[in-house]
Amino acid sequence: MKSIQIGLIGLGTVGSGVFHVLQRNQEEIRRRAGRGIEVTMVSRRNVEQARAIVGDKAQVVADARAIIANPDIDIVVELMGGYELSRELVLEAIAAGKHVVTANKALLAVHGTEIFAAASAKGVMVAFEAAVAGGIPIIKSLREGLTANRLQWVAGIINGTTNFILSEMRDKGLDFEVVLQEAQRLGYAEADPTFDIEGIDAAHKLTLMSAIAFGIPVQFDKAYVEGITKLAAADIQYAEQLGYRIKLLGVTKRTAHGVELRVHPTLIPSKRLIANVEGAMNAVMAHGDAVGTTLYYGKGAGSEPTASAVIADLVDITRLHTADPAHRVPHLAFQPDAMSNLPVLPMSEVVTSYYLRLRVADQTGVLAKVTGLLAESGINIDAVLQRASGDESGQTDLIILTHDCQEAKMNTAQAQMQNLPTVLAPIVRIRKEELA
Ligand code: NDP
Ligand code: HSE
C-alpha cells in the first residue's frame, strides 16, 4: 500500500527528531501502522539547514503553505511553535482536508476550541500527544486508557525546566536566580524562560488535560497561574524539615461546583512518588473512580522523546484516517455534543491546604495571636514549626501548615495576620496538596 505522506512545518529540535526517528524505525513503524509513513516535504525558513538535516530524502521549501497546497500530503505536522502563524497554517491545513499533528500546547490552549471545531466540521483529525509532557503518552492515557472512569483529579509536574530549577535549589541550597542562570548555561532554560518560570507553559498543558479529563472546553484564560520566581531557598528547606518537597504542580479537580484549574508551587509529601521526580523529568497523576490513582513518568521534552509522541499520533491517524469520522476517538475524549458546561472555579473558591511562613518578633503571645486569627476564620492548623533567625535581631520564623480550607478564608486570615505589628515581613504562602 502507498505510504502515508507527511509534510513537516518546522524542522528544529522536535521536527528533526521526528525525521530521524521515522527514518531509523521505519520498518517497525510500518509493521505497526500497516503502511509506510514517509516525510516527503519539510519547511523551514533556513532551507540550507533543512537540507543538511533531510538530504535528498524530502523536498525542502521555505514557504510552509507549499506543503498545505500539495494534494499528495496526507498529514501536516506543525512543529514551528507560536500562536498566530501556526493558527493560520493549522486552520488552512484543515480547510484543505489534511489531518494535523502538533506539539504546540500554546496554540491549542489558546485557540483549541476554534481548531477542534474546524477539524470536526471538516472530518479531519487534530492530534496533539506531544503537546503535554513530551514523550509521556498522557493524552492517550486520559482519553482512552481511563475512558471507563469518572476522573476526579489530575495533577502533574509538566514543566521540566522549573522542575530542574527546583531540584537544584533543594540539592544545593541555592536561590532561584543563581539556578536559573545555571539552567540557561546548560540549555535547559531558554534565553527567554518566561513561559517556563512563570508557569504559563505548565498552564497550557494543564488546560488541555483538564478539557480531556472532564469534557469541558479548552479555557486557558480561566487558569490560575503562579510561577516559581518568588520561591526562596529557605522555604524549600523548611518544607523538607516538615516532610514535604516543593514542586511546580498543575492541578485540575472536579468539585460539586466546578473545575479547579491551577498551576502554582505546591508542597507535596516527600513520601509520594511524584515528590521524588527530579531534574527535567515530568510526571502526571490521574485519579479515577474505578482505577484509583495512576502515575505516568518520563521525559517531558527533548528531540526524540517528543518525536516519539508525534509519531504515535502519525500512526494513529494512519490507522484511522479511512474510518468514518463519527467512529474516531473524539479530540477532547468526549463527543463534541456531550461536552460539559461545568465552570472553571475562581481561585477564591478553591479548597486546598497551606504552608505559611511568618517572620515575627520573638515575643510572648505572638503565636497565640496568629493562631487565634486562623481559628477565627475557621482554619484548622496541622503543624507548627518555629525556627530562630540565627542572629541577634530578636526575630523568628514561624511556619504553619494548615488543613484544607477555602482560599477566600485564607485570604482574609492572611490579611489580618499581616496587619499584626509583630509580623515583620510579607507572609510567604505556598499551597499544599496531599495527593492521597
Ligand atoms: P525549534 O525552535 O527548535 O524549531 C522551530 C522550527 O520552526 C525551526 O526549524 C524553525 O526554522 C521553524 N520555523 C519557524 N518559523 C517558521 C516559518 N514561518 N515557516 C517554516 N518554519 C518555521 O522549536 P522546537 O522544535 O523546540 O518546538 C517546536 C514545537 O514543539 C513548539 O510548539 C514547542 O512548544 C513544542 N514542544 C517542544 C518540545 C521540546 O522539547 N523542544 C517538547 C514539547 C513540545 P527556521 O528558523 O529556519 O524557520
Ligand atoms: N519548556 C518545556 C519544559 C519544554 O521545560 O518542560 C517542553 O514542553
Side-chain angles (χ1 to χ4, degrees):
M1 201 188 297
K2 186 171 164 281
S3 292
I4 283 278
Q5 299 204 18
I6 309 296
L8 295 184
I9 300 180
L11 197 68
T13 303
V14 182
S16 60
V18 169
F19 181 79
H20 291 311
V21 176
L22 273 176
Q23 293 284 313
R24 191 170 73 231
N25 295 344
Q26 57 181 300
E27 272 317 304
E28 198 84 353
I29 290 166
R30 177 195 297 273
R31 285 172 56 214
R32 290 194 168 110
R35 61 198 285 192
I37 296 178
E38 205 181 329
V39 176
T40 53
M41 278 183 98
V42 299
S43 168
R44 66 177 283 180
R45 291 162 304 183
N46 187 333
V47 289
E48 290 314 314
Q49 284 195 14
R51 282 202 187 97
I53 294 167
V54 302
D56 58 5
K57 298 224 159 48
Q59 184 190 350
V60 175
V61 290
D63 178 8
R65 288 189 165 90
I67 290 181
I68 296 168
N70 183 342
D72 293 332
I73 295 292
D74 301 296
I75 308 176
V76 171
V77 183
E78 185 278 304
L79 298 171
M80 167 181 114
Y83 296 96
E84 287 316 320
L85 182 57
S86 54
R87 172 182 161 273
E88 282 173 26
L89 294 175
V90 163
L91 289 172
E92 285 172 29
I94 291 169
K98 316 282 187 199
H99 302 290
V100 172
V101 174
T102 179
N104 192 337
K105 56 265 175 174
L107 171 71
L108 292 180
V110 175
H111 298 299
T113 301
E114 178 188 21
I115 288 170
F116 294 130
S120 296
K122 193 72 187 178
V124 297
M125 289 174 268
V126 173
F128 55 97
E129 182 63 70
V132 183
I136 306 175
I138 190 63
I139 298 299
K140 189 133 190 128
S141 300
L142 292 174
R143 193 168 54 189
E144 295 166 55
L146 300 180
T147 198
N149 288 266
R150 180 175 164 86
L151 289 170
Q152 282 150 347
W153 54 263
V154 178
I157 296 169
I158 41 182
N159 183 268
T161 305
T162 44
N163 203 51
F164 171 81
I165 293 173
L166 292 176
S167 294
E168 289 288 289
M169 286 174 74
R170 187 179 73 85
D171 279 355
K172 300 183 178 159
L174 296 171
D175 278 319
F176 170 77
E177 288 299 339
V178 177
V179 182
L180 175 61
Q181 282 171 19
E182 168 82 349
Q184 284 174 310
R185 197 179 58 75
L186 290 172
Y188 283 107
E190 297 184 26
D192 178 3
T194 312
F195 269 31
D196 292 320
I197 63 178
E198 297 294 357
I200 299 163
D201 175 73
H204 287 148
K205 296 167 182 167
L206 183 73
T207 300
L208 294 171
M209 289 198 291
S210 182
I212 288 173
F214 307 124
I216 58 171
V218 175
Q219 300 168 78
F220 172 69
D221 56 333
K222 307 252 176 68
Y224 173 81
V225 191
E226 188 183 312
I228 63 166
T229 54
K230 296 190 179 69
L231 264 187
D235 294 306
I236 293 177
Q237 284 152 18
Y238 286 141
E240 193 86 1
Q241 291 169 28
L242 288 157
Y244 291 85
R245 300 244 167 109
I246 300 182
K247 297 289 182 187
L248 182 69
L249 202 69
V251 182
T252 184
K253 277 186 197 172
R254 187 207 301 260
T255 77
H257 313 289
V259 170
E260 297 182 4
L261 183 60
R262 50 193 170 96
V263 170
H264 47 71
T266 310
L267 272 77
I268 306 172
S270 307
K271 62 187 176 199
R272 300 268 177 266
L273 282 174
I274 196 168
N276 295 281
V277 171
E278 300 293 358
M281 301 302 280
N282 281 198
V284 179
M285 293 173 81
H287 184 89
D289 63 342
V291 74
T293 304
T294 55
L295 173 67
Y296 310 83
Y297 169 84
K299 288 186 179 160
S303 182
E304 294 205 356
T306 312
S308 163
V310 171
I311 295 168
D313 281 342
L314 293 175
V315 171
D316 267 358
I317 294 177
T318 302
R319 287 171 175 153
L320 284 171
H321 80 293
T322 51
D324 175 351
H327 296 149
R328 294 180 189 145
V329 181
H331 294 117
L332 293 177
F334 292 74
Q335 298 297 337
D337 60 358
M339 297 294 277
S340 160
N341 58 5
L342 209 55
V344 174
L345 293 173
M347 210 46 202
S348 57
E349 288 179 36
V350 159
V351 173
T352 187
S353 55
Y354 296 87
Y355 161 104
L356 303 171
R357 173 164 61 87
L358 294 82
R359 175 48 72 108
V360 296
D362 194 2
Q363 292 169 12
T364 313
V366 172
L367 179 60
K369 284 216 176 73
V370 167
T371 55
L373 289 174
L374 287 168
E376 275 172 30
S377 291
I379 298 170
N380 197 359
I381 293 170
D382 180 31
V384 178
L385 180 73
Q386 186 173 329
R387 285 286 181 266
S389 65
D391 53 32
E392 303 292 307
S393 61
Q395 299 177 3
T396 188
D397 276 339
L398 203 55
I399 296 103
I400 300 175
L401 299 184
T402 75
H403 287 292
D404 276 354
C405 70
Q406 201 183 47
E407 179 125 337
K409 286 188 180 175
M410 178 51 77
N411 291 342
T412 306
Q414 185 177 339
Q416 289 169 344
M417 291 186 288
Q418 193 67 70
N419 278 339
L420 292 173
T422 44
V423 173
L424 306 172
I427 296 171
V428 174
R429 177 175 88 176
I430 305 173
R431 298 174 187 87
K432 177 165 84 63
E433 288 290 332
E434 292 297 324
L435 300 178

